[in-house]
Amino acid sequence: MVADIVRYTNMRIDMLAQKYKTKNATVAHTCPEEIKALMGILIQSGAKQDNRITVAEMWSKQHGSPLYRSAMNEKKKRFSFLLRSLRFDDHTTRNERIKTDKLAPWRNTWECFLDNCQKNYVPGNAITVDEQMVESRGRCPFRYYMQNKPTKYGIKINMACDARNSYMLNGIVDLAKYRRPQVVPGKLGEYYTMTLTEPFLDSNRTITVDNCFTSLSLVKELYKRNTYLIGTSRRKGDVPKIMVDKKLSRPVDSSIFLFHENVSMVSFKPKKDKIVLLLSSKHNSSAIGERNKPEAIHFYNKTKGGVDILDMMCARDRYSRVSSQEIGILVQALSQVFMECRFSHLIDTVFTYAFD
C-alpha cells in the first residue's frame, strides 16, 4: 500500500516540479521511508495537538518538537510540499474510473487498509456495528449534512468495531445515490450489518447494533450463521401496544418480556415518559440485573459504544492540518501505530483533490 502511494505521489511531484525553475531536494521524488516519516510526523502532531499550529511553529527550535526536525527538513518546505503532492491513485485514469465509482480516488487504498485491519487482529466475542461521520468540508459529491450530529458535514461510514477496544474491523463508505446497494426498501441496515460482519460470522460472536440496523429478519438470519444479535428496535410492525405505549400505567424501572423461538424482546421503562425496546437472540430469560435493569439492557449498554468511542478518539487525536492542503483519513491508515490501535480522520485531502 505504501509503495502505491509512493508511485502516485511521485507522479504528482513530476507535474508540480515543472513549475520550479530550479530542481532541488524540495521537489525530489519521495520514497517509502519518507512517506512513513511523514505519517509519523502527522501521528505525533495529532497526539500533541499540534495540528492547530503552523508548520513554522512545529519546526521552531524554540517551541517545536525535536522529533519533527529529526524526521524531516522543513527549511526547504519539504513537509509542506509532500502534503501538497500526496496522492492515492493514478490521476491519468481517474476520470474514467470515477464514472462508475465515486470512491475511485480512494478505492484501492481503502480496501487494502480494511484487508490489513482484518489480517492483523482477531476480534473478541462482541462486535459493534454503527455509523460514523468523518468530518469533511472538501469537494465531495456524497458528503452528508446531518443536523443532529456533532459533526454536521462529512463522509458517512458504516463501520464494524471490536466492542472491547474500538478497533476498526470493517467499513463501508456511504456513497448516497451514487452507489447505494440495490436492496429491498427497509433492508439497507440488514445489508450493511451482514456485509460488515461477514468475515466474523459462524464463530459464536454477538453483534450489537442500534435501531437503524435492527430487524427481526436480521436476527434470524444471523442466528442461522451461529451469530447472536442484540439491538434497540423501533416501535413499528406487530409490536404489542403494552410494549411501546408510554401512556399505559407502568411503574418506572419495570420490564416486560416477550419470547418467540430463539428471539426475545424486552420493554424497559427507565423514566416516566421513556421506553427502551430491545431485540435479542442472545438472551432467552427474564433475568434482572443491577438497578432493576434486565441483563439484556446491561449487555447492550456495555457493548454499544464501540464505534462511538472510536469517534471520540478520532476527534481527540485529529491529524489533519488546518489549511487548504488538509490531510485526511488515508495517511493515518497507513501508519503502523495507527494499524495497531485505531481508525482516525484522514479524509479531507483525498476528496479535496479527488474532484478537482
Side-chain angles (χ1 to χ4, degrees), residues 241-251 269 272:
K241 185 177 180 180
I242 191 174
M243 301 287 286
V244 296
D245 196 337
K246 302 176 185 178
K247 298 180 181 179
L248 292 179
S249 178
R250 279 179 58 185
K269 189 174 183 179
K272 182 179 179 180

Side-chain angles (χ1 to χ4, degrees), residues 92-101 104:
T92 60
T93 63
R94 179 185 299 169
N95 290 337
E96 187 64 29
R97 289 182 287 110
I98 212 169
K99 292 178 181 178
T100 56
D101 183 9

Side-chain angles (χ1 to χ4, degrees), residues 100-245:
T100 56
D101 183 9
K102 291 297 182 182
L103 199 65
W106 190 26
R107 176 68 65 185
N108 291 339
T109 309
W110 172 246
E111 292 181 350
C112 186
F113 164 66
L114 293 178
D115 185 56
N116 286 340
C117 283
Q118 295 166 26
K119 287 194 301 185
N120 288 282
Y121 181 77
V122 178
N125 58 5
I127 295 174
T128 307
V129 173
D130 204 347
E131 58 186 28
Q132 183 190 32
M133 280 285 286
V134 180
E135 182 179 355
S136 175
R137 289 180 177 267
R139 294 184 295 277
C140 177
F142 49 87
R143 187 182 63 181
Y144 273 84
Y145 171 75
M146 302 180 72
Q147 187 175 5
N148 60 338
K149 290 281 189 179
T151 300
K152 300 188 185 302
Y153 290 92
I155 310 302
K156 187 167 75 170
I157 303 178
N158 297 284
M159 191 178 296
C161 293
D162 191 317
R164 181 183 58 182
N165 57 17
S166 297
Y167 181 96
M168 181 183 172
L169 302 170
N170 207 350
I172 301 175
V173 179
D174 194 331
L175 302 182
K177 64 180 180 180
Y178 295 100
R179 199 177 178 181
R180 179 143 291 178
Q182 299 299 317
V183 297
V184 177
K187 297 286 187 178
L188 191 60
E190 182 174 337
Y191 165 82
Y192 281 134
T193 304
M194 293 298 297
T195 305
L196 289 169
T197 59
E198 178 62 35
F200 317 105
L201 300 182
D202 303 306
S203 57
N204 202 36
R205 289 188 170 94
T206 302
I207 312 298
T208 302
V209 297
D210 68 6
N211 56 27
C212 296
F213 301 88
T214 308
S215 67
L216 183 59
S217 58
L218 175 61
V219 175
K220 293 180 177 180
E221 187 65 27
L222 285 173
Y223 194 83
K224 295 177 183 177
R225 300 290 303 273
N226 193 27
T227 303
Y228 304 109
L229 183 132
I230 181 169
T232 53
S233 178
R234 291 173 175 169
R235 296 161 179 78
K236 61 180 182 179
D238 298 326
V239 179
K241 185 177 180 180
I242 191 174
M243 301 287 286
V244 296
D245 196 337

Side-chain angles (χ1 to χ4, degrees), residues 11-12 15 87 89-95 97 353:
M11 292 171 62
R12 179 63 178 177
M15 294 175 59
R87 290 296 182 274
D89 74 319
D90 186 349
H91 189 273
T92 60
T93 63
R94 179 185 299 169
N95 290 337
R97 289 182 287 110
Y353 292 140

